[in-house]
Amino acid sequence: MFVVFSVVTLIRIVQGIGSLRRKAGWLTKSEKQQRAARQAFRDGRRRAIELKAHLLAGGLPFPLSTWDVMLEPDEALILDAPMTYSRFYGTDAVYSHVSGFTMGRPAWVLAAMAGQAMGNASRRNAAAAAASPMWREHQTSRTLVTDRRILCRTNTGRLSFYYAGVSVSYPSPEESTLVLEFHDAQPISLHGSEGASLCVLATASLYGRDALAQHPALESFRELEPAEQTAAGPSTR
């Protein structure tokens, strides 16, 4: 009991020192990165709220320029940001069944057979897990959003996801994530500090601007909180 009490006390002391250190502004490198990431997502949410209000008021998305990607004629680039990219699908994983003949004492034979059975079961379960549909290809992708598609630079090249091919959309601006299903392609998930703006732009492109005021997932994006008010104009940068 004395040891447990001492350990608990020491943990509380360390936690208290850490709290005082953070309040004083003395942050570790990891804590600074985490704070910067949280601020980036808060800023992204603010920009998404401004963008939604701007579009509902009849404004047009602010066009951006790019010199390293050739767009289609009359195609307008309106968002250029890094996103966490992943796809949802299964694989055709297989496993090798091992069998063999063992000679010797009965106990040795039984142990060898049990080991083979356990090994086969383990390989079979691993193959089944690998074949199951799941989110794969997790990576950071430069994501360009235009008025007709989403372009992602992945490890396998640049991929285009046209709005015309979308079958189901799952915008989640509060989580800064957009999930799209397609008629003839694997679902895609995009997440990042500009994910909320991506949700706004994709919803407007797929359903029309009126959907920004009607879509259940965007209901919380009605107006800025007092602390988030800004004099800056809407931006998708």
Side-chain angles (χ1 to χ4, degrees):
M1 292 295 294
F2 174 76
V3 173
V4 173
F5 175 78
S6 299
V7 171
V8 172
T9 301
L10 179 61
I11 292 175
R12 290 178 176 175
I13 291 175
V14 172
Q15 290 176 339
I17 294 175
S19 178
L20 292 174
R21 173 179 57 78
R22 287 187 291 272
K23 288 181 179 179
W26 299 340
L27 304 178
T28 64
K29 181 178 179 180
S30 176
E31 289 170 341
K32 290 179 180 179
Q33 292 174 341
Q34 294 174 3
R35 183 175 67 175
R38 290 193 296 269
Q39 185 61 48
F41 276 87
R42 284 194 293 268
D43 292 343
R45 181 179 181 275
R46 173 182 55 77
R47 286 190 289 269
I49 294 174
E50 293 176 342
L51 176 62
K52 176 189 172 184
H54 176 69
L55 295 178
L56 283 174
L60 296 175
F62 295 92
L64 305 178
S65 298
T66 179
W67 307 106
D68 57 342
V69 179
M70 294 299 296
L71 300 179
E72 297 175 352
D74 299 323
E75 184 177 16
L77 176 65
I78 49 183
L79 179 65
D80 184 351
M83 296 276 180
T84 300
Y85 162 101
S86 58
R87 305 293 296 276
F88 189 81
Y89 59 89
T91 65
D92 297 326
V94 296
Y95 84 101
S96 299
H97 183 86
V98 177
S99 61
F101 180 75
T102 304
M103 297 181 62
R105 295 180 180 180
W108 171 254
V109 173
L110 291 175
M113 293 176 61
Q116 288 181 2
M118 292 175 61
N120 286 330
S122 176
R123 286 187 290 273
R124 183 170 59 252
N125 292 336
S132 299
M134 65 179 68
W135 289 107
R136 305 172 184 271
E137 303 182 24
H138 303 281
Q139 58 192 276
T140 299
S141 165
R142 181 190 175 190
T143 303
L144 284 71
V145 182
T146 76
D147 54 351
R148 66 189 67 170
R149 58 175 168 161
I150 299 173
L151 296 89
C152 297
R153 179 67 179 180
T154 71
N155 295 336
T156 58
R158 191 176 301 280
L159 303 177
S160 291
F161 303 93
Y162 286 85
Y163 295 128
V166 173
S167 59
V168 184
S169 172
Y170 301 100
S172 181
E174 291 291 349
E175 298 179 356
S176 299
T177 301
L178 175 67
V179 175
L180 297 175
E181 293 184 11
F182 301 90
H183 295 292
D184 55 1
Q186 300 152 345
I188 181 177
S189 173
L190 293 168
H191 169 78
S193 59
E194 298 300 327
S197 290
L198 175 60
C199 290
V200 171
L201 294 170
T203 300
S205 297
L206 290 168
Y207 304 105
R209 296 192 184 190
D210 291 343
L212 297 177
Q214 302 169 1
H215 199 296
L218 299 176
E219 285 184 347
S220 61
F221 277 48
R222 295 178 180 176
E223 59 184 11
L224 289 172
E225 297 295 332
E228 296 180 311
Q229 295 288 351
T230 175
S235 174
T236 59
R237 293 182 183 273

